[in-house]
Amino acid sequence: MVCKRIRQLRLIRGISQEYMAEELSLTQPSYARLEAEDSRINIERLMKIAGVLEVELTDLFSEEPITYKKDPAINKAKTDSIREVINIDLQYIEFLKDEIKFLRELLKSKTSN
């Protein structure tokens, strides 16, 4: 149950397994085993996990709503930053689509001559 909760909290926050592993001084496969309940977790590691996820230790054992350690304004700022990055990525994807379209047309005109 704890491992499932850790995974849910990590996904809600948009944190990768790689990041979690780095913060916990683990390899990504080791961290993945932790979430899959293939390894034991001691209290020290649970405390570190709670810190990275910005929740109280008790939240890892609870089905209750999440309690944030940090100011909600900071969490909103993180969310806004993530949205901004996503929007920039979407704009870049549109640029790449236009570039691909242009290159296809260029290639088509070169091969038809």
Side-chain angles (χ1 to χ4, degrees):
M1 180 176 140
V2 173
C3 297
K4 182 179 178 183
R5 180 76 166 175
I6 290 169
R7 182 175 187 276
Q8 289 171 343
L9 290 167
R10 177 181 62 77
L11 293 173
I12 287 169
R13 283 164 175 64
I15 298 173
S16 69
Q17 283 189 344
E18 291 81 8
Y19 178 81
M20 289 294 293
E22 184 178 316
E23 291 295 307
L24 300 171
S25 302
L26 297 171
T27 64
Q28 186 277 326
S30 294
Y31 180 78
R33 283 192 299 277
L34 180 145
E35 278 190 2
E37 300 182 35
D38 288 343
S39 65
R40 293 180 185 231
I41 310 172
N42 63 31
I43 191 69
E44 290 174 17
R45 180 145 298 146
L46 284 172
M47 290 171 61
K48 287 182 185 178
I49 289 170
V52 174
L53 295 173
E54 299 178 353
V55 297
E56 299 298 328
L57 182 60
T58 55
D59 289 327
L60 299 180
F61 298 93
S62 174
E63 293 295 324
E64 297 298 314
I66 300 161
T67 304
Y68 293 94
K69 279 187 178 176
K70 296 196 175 182
D71 184 342
I74 294 171
N75 292 316
K76 184 184 180 323
K78 283 183 180 180
T79 302
D80 291 345
S81 296
I82 291 168
R83 285 190 180 124
E84 184 177 333
V85 169
I86 290 170
N87 286 333
I88 290 169
D89 287 346
L90 290 173
Q91 290 172 0
Y92 186 63
I93 289 168
E94 289 304 312
F95 167 78
L96 291 174
K97 285 179 181 178
D98 290 342
E99 187 73 13
I100 289 168
K101 183 178 177 182
F102 169 77
L103 291 171
R104 283 182 177 162
E105 290 173 3
L106 184 63
L107 183 61
K108 187 177 180 180
S109 70
K110 296 281 184 184
T111 57
S112 64
N113 287 336

